Amino acid sequence: MMRTRPLKVALLGCGTVGTEVTRIMTAQADDLAARIGAPIELAGIAVRRPNKVRAGVPAELLTTDATALVKRGDIDVVVEVIGGIEPVRTLITTAFEHGASVVSANKALLAADGASLHAKAVEYGVDLYYEAAVAGAIPLIRPLRESLAGDKVDRVLGIVNGTTNFILDRMDSTGAGYSEALDEATALGYAEADPTADVEGFDAAAKAAILAGIAFHTRVTIQDVHREGVTEVTAADIASARRMGCTVKLLAICERKADGRSVTVRVHPAMIPLSHPLASVREAYNAVFVEAEAAGRLMFYGPGAGGTPTASAVLGDLVAACRNKLAQTTGAGESAYARLPVSPMGDVVTRYHISLDVADKPGVLAQVATVFAEHDVSIDTVRQQRGKNGEASLVVVTHRASDAALSATVSSLRKLDTVRGVASIMRVEGE
């Protein structure tokens, strides 16, 4: 039997995502009520600019006093789509203190301070859901946290930022340089006016921290994530990848080390074989591979951003939080019992693609090979191309080596008189 008294929902933020949340709540009110077991009522919407035109958003619900809204005491669930650290952290904890569960899309806050937010939620007996914080509409957090709760996850590998994937895809498919591809992404609305969070890898790093924490039952913050962006990727790198039968993607990689005693979490551009399923992820789409001991390899794919896809994830969490309110229970919270340390990037072992500018004369290749051997880095393939003015391009692809060993190798290479410069270094993954 359906309860007639509605559950009350407060919305913090009414931009692209918030507007879509409002629209779906209104358009699908009867279906949502049937799925939850009670109607839901949008009780208030906190915004910074109440006079801004928002199609389909009831003006009488708008308020600029977000604190008063979450303190009302009759709010069952607060939906937060503002973003940033403060005042959002304070608003969420205040909502908890007044008995409201929270649904958030705030990857930055969760990656920085998820542990204390989870602790507050437990303290006040409420829920904290955040499916929309990672990969937009793609169901990913709940499968990791619930569906795979009985399995052992060894690796999470994915494309979790649509802006950078669009840029790299355009560089690969059209031959455009980084700046040209970024301009196109901006014109199409895939990149913000200030794209730093995306192109420097901060957005992907926050998502990687959240995924690693859930997958490995370990607290991981964004400070634990090794981060490199795509700003240094060149058309030459893309062309080299193509010659190897690869493409370049910005990957979030979360791995349990072979001995099971630690994990690594990193975000950086990498070459992956065209045969790998992630190589075919085009434009602004996201895709994540999960490798588990019993389940094997699972792939999650779909739109990773945008108002409507993100609102879909928010509404899924809202339904779950409301169901729990009716049942007077809470869902799965933080699981951090494993307490695995996060190993430094220097311990990570992978293959490398190194492009060197060298003097075009006999003996150079032997000198370079000697340096690699001195640091116990084995060479897989070498390709040399003659350039101009007595110089040549030397491309070395290694077998698997640690990041520390590769860094030491490159440092020694720079000291050779015959090496004019290191044009690029890129990891090779997915093999």
Side-chain angles (χ1 to χ4, degrees):
M1 182 176 179
M2 183 178 294
R3 191 181 85 166
T4 57
R5 183 169 62 83
L7 292 160
K8 293 190 176 183
V9 178
L11 179 61
L12 306 182
C14 199
T16 303
V17 176
T19 299
E20 281 300 301
V21 169
T22 303
R23 182 189 65 79
I24 296 171
M25 284 183 64
T26 302
Q28 299 185 17
D30 292 342
D31 285 339
L32 290 171
R35 294 166 193 165
I36 292 168
I40 54 176
E41 173 190 324
L42 192 53
I45 306 172
V47 297
R48 285 188 298 172
R49 298 185 294 275
N51 296 325
K52 179 182 176 181
V53 177
R54 298 173 174 87
V57 178
E60 65 273 14
L61 294 181
L62 300 179
T63 177
T64 57
D65 195 341
T67 301
L69 180 59
V70 299
K71 281 184 173 182
R72 277 178 39 169
D74 64 336
I75 300 297
D76 294 290
V77 182
V78 170
V79 174
E80 182 272 309
V81 288
I82 298 174
I85 305 299
E86 287 292 356
V88 176
R89 175 167 39 202
T90 299
L91 290 171
I92 288 176
T93 54
T94 302
F96 289 156
E97 291 164 1
H98 288 78
S101 293
V102 172
V103 172
S104 176
N106 196 329
K107 54 189 168 287
L109 177 57
L110 289 159
D113 202 21
S116 67
L117 293 178
H118 275 292
K120 277 287 185 183
V122 170
E123 180 182 351
Y124 290 97
V126 293
D127 278 318
L128 172 63
Y129 283 110
Y130 43 91
E131 185 69 64
V134 179
I138 305 172
L140 187 57
I141 289 177
R142 191 171 283 110
L144 281 173
R145 189 162 60 178
E146 298 177 19
S147 303
L148 295 173
D151 207 340
K152 177 186 175 185
V153 176
D154 292 316
R155 194 175 196 227
V156 180
L157 168 74
I159 298 165
V160 295
N161 182 270
T163 300
T164 51
N165 199 57
F166 180 89
I167 290 170
L168 294 173
D169 181 48
R170 279 295 186 268
M171 291 176 70
D172 184 48
S173 61
T174 70
Y178 167 78
S179 296
E180 296 169 272
L182 174 59
D183 288 344
E184 184 179 358
T186 304
L188 292 172
Y190 292 128
E192 301 286 346
D194 179 1
T196 303
D198 292 322
V199 300
E200 294 292 356
F202 290 101
D203 175 85
K207 295 170 181 176
I210 294 169
L211 292 174
I214 297 169
F216 305 133
H217 304 279
T218 290
R219 286 179 177 169
V220 179
T221 70
I222 193 168
Q223 286 77 22
D224 297 316
V225 182
H226 173 84
R227 174 193 55 79
E228 299 171 29
V230 300
T231 56
E232 301 300 319
V233 177
T234 66
D237 293 328
I238 302 292
S240 289
R242 193 178 300 113
R243 283 192 290 269
M244 290 176 58
C246 293
T247 188
V248 177
K249 298 292 185 182
L250 182 72
L251 298 180
I253 305 171
C254 315
E255 293 179 307
R256 187 192 301 269
K257 295 193 75 174
D259 62 9
R261 296 178 181 176
S262 64
V263 298
T264 61
V265 190
R266 50 199 166 103
V267 167
H268 54 70
M271 296 179 179
I272 58 172
L274 293 175
S275 58
H276 195 284
L278 289 179
S280 62
V281 179
R282 308 296 299 273
E283 298 196 336
Y285 276 75
N286 284 190
V288 176
F289 251 86
V290 176
E291 298 178 13
E293 191 171 85
R297 302 178 76 190
L298 309 172
M299 183 171 176
F300 300 82
Y301 171 83
T308 304
T310 305
S312 171
V314 169
L315 266 294
D317 280 350
L318 178 60
V319 168
C322 287
R323 285 172 174 168
N324 290 343
K325 279 286 181 180
L326 285 180
Q328 298 183 334
T329 187
T330 56
E334 182 189 35
S335 175
Y337 72 90
R339 298 185 178 88
L340 296 173
V342 180
S343 295
M345 188 61 188
D347 292 348
V348 171
V349 175
T350 188
R351 296 178 66 205
Y352 289 87
H353 174 282
I354 305 103
S355 180
L356 304 172
D357 295 325
V358 300
D360 187 11
K361 62 182 183 180
V364 173
L365 180 55
Q367 286 184 326
V368 169
T370 298
V371 170
F372 276 87
E374 287 172 348
H375 293 282
D376 201 26
V377 177
S378 177
I379 294 175
D380 184 15
T381 63
V382 177
R383 185 179 71 252
Q384 183 169 335
Q385 182 175 348
R386 180 169 294 177
K388 297 178 180 179
N389 302 320
E391 292 192 357
S393 174
L394 191 65
V395 175
V396 179
V397 179
T398 74
H399 287 290
R400 293 176 65 83
S402 71
D403 189 81
L406 196 282
S407 295
T409 302
V410 171
S411 179
S412 295
L413 287 171
R414 294 183 190 276
K415 297 175 183 177
L416 294 177
D417 292 338
T418 51
V419 174
R420 309 297 191 222
V422 180
S424 70
I425 304 171
M426 190 170 295
R427 296 169 184 87
V428 182
E429 300 282 352
E431 296 182 309

